[in-house]
Amino acid sequence: IIAESIQILIQDLENACEPALTAMTKLSWQTIETVGDQSLYVTTIINHLKTIVPVIRNHLGSSRKYFIQFCTTFVDSFIKKFINHLYRCKPINMIGAEQLLLDTHSLKTVLLDLPSINLTVSRKPPQNFTKIVLKNMTRAEMILKVVLTPYDSARQFVKNYLQLMNNDGDISSFQKVLDMKGIRKPEQAHLIERLKREHAAIIASHQQQIQQQ
């Protein structure tokens, strides 16, 4: 029952944030000319978190374990949703990517402090919670850093992609990033083949190293 209740609370909070995420995808990221403060959609999400999370914390005041469980499950689910919406922001120019990077950083900062949001004295969140936020939000940041990577040569771009994305050879994710960069489909096919080759070479190299140990 508790697990179900936590899931309902998470769903409610996600639903509250959903319109802001949708608004993010509808912005014209390829026409942005200057990087400003955090975007309105981020402020909206943060305001929802500041309003809803303290109420849940108060209700679960006698059981911090369940509150932390709520926070951990929420950030894991929300950040994945955020990344999915991030992929839908396309095409993006360099300034747009920089703005999104700033927005992502603002969101990461707030999410890292989620268990103590709006508290005068904050408690350090559990390591597992922090780890989930950092891992997933870093991925979001890396996606945007790939978008910011100049596309001069296919080989160098793919190398940079694998380096930034921790050697992730998933074709679907790569295609989404290429769409964000506004790279045309015929050119994408060439890049995908390059990614397959480079990724296979990395795996082969790792296997060789293991065998030599």
Side-chain angles (χ1 to χ4, degrees):
I1 291 171
I2 290 167
E4 285 175 11
S5 302
I6 287 171
Q7 201 53 52
I8 290 165
L9 291 171
I10 289 165
Q11 195 66 55
D12 284 348
L13 185 51
E14 282 190 349
N15 289 344
C17 296
E18 185 72 35
L21 290 175
T22 303
M24 171 180 89
T25 64
K26 289 185 176 174
L27 289 169
S28 181
W29 292 105
Q30 79 268 37
T31 58
I32 288 182
E33 293 176 359
T34 55
V35 177
D37 294 330
Q38 67 186 30
S39 301
L40 180 61
Y41 75 88
V42 176
T43 306
T44 305
I45 290 169
I46 291 170
N47 286 341
H48 282 310
L49 297 177
K50 284 182 174 178
T51 305
I52 298 169
V53 174
V55 174
I56 294 169
R57 184 174 57 224
N58 290 341
H59 282 298
L60 295 173
S62 58
S63 180
R64 182 167 166 82
K65 182 181 83 170
Y66 292 124
F67 174 62
I68 292 298
Q69 187 184 330
F70 159 78
C71 289
T72 306
T73 311
F74 169 74
V75 293
D76 191 42
S77 172
F78 173 77
I79 298 170
K80 284 170 185 168
K81 191 171 276 193
F82 173 72
I83 289 173
N84 284 335
H85 280 74
L86 198 60
Y87 281 136
R88 286 163 56 190
C89 298
K90 58 187 180 182
I92 306 175
N93 66 14
M94 290 296 184
I95 307 293
E98 284 175 11
Q99 181 64 53
L100 274 166
L101 198 55
L102 183 146
D103 291 343
T104 302
H105 182 74
S106 297
L107 208 49
K108 180 172 82 171
T109 304
V110 172
L111 290 174
L112 279 168
D113 195 41
L114 191 67
S116 298
I117 200 165
N118 274 13
L119 282 180
T120 320
V121 181
S122 64
R123 283 175 68 175
K124 191 178 177 183
Q127 205 172 353
N128 183 48
F129 170 84
T130 305
K131 192 176 168 184
I132 287 170
V133 175
L134 286 176
K135 182 188 173 190
N136 292 343
M137 287 306 277
T138 298
R139 181 173 176 83
E141 288 172 333
M142 290 305 118
I143 288 166
L144 292 165
K145 285 185 179 177
V146 173
V147 175
L148 283 164
T149 302
Y151 175 43
D152 299 322
S153 86
R155 186 169 180 270
Q156 194 54 50
F157 178 76
V158 168
K159 275 187 176 294
N160 288 339
Y161 175 84
L162 287 167
Q163 197 172 1
L164 287 166
M165 298 299 286
N166 201 22
N167 293 332
D168 181 4
D170 180 61
I171 303 299
S172 173
S173 300
F174 186 55
Q175 276 182 304
K176 287 171 186 172
V177 173
L178 297 180
D179 286 339
M180 289 170 82
K181 274 188 80 68
I183 294 172
R184 293 190 180 94
K185 294 293 178 189
E187 186 63 24
Q188 284 192 22
H190 170 57
L191 286 163
I192 287 164
E193 286 309 310
R194 168 69 67 177
L195 178 78
K196 287 177 183 174
R197 286 201 302 274
E198 293 284 351
H199 188 248
I202 289 166
I203 290 171
S205 173
H206 284 176
Q207 286 173 342
Q208 196 175 10
Q209 285 170 5
I210 291 164
Q211 285 167 1
Q212 287 171 353
Q213 284 174 0

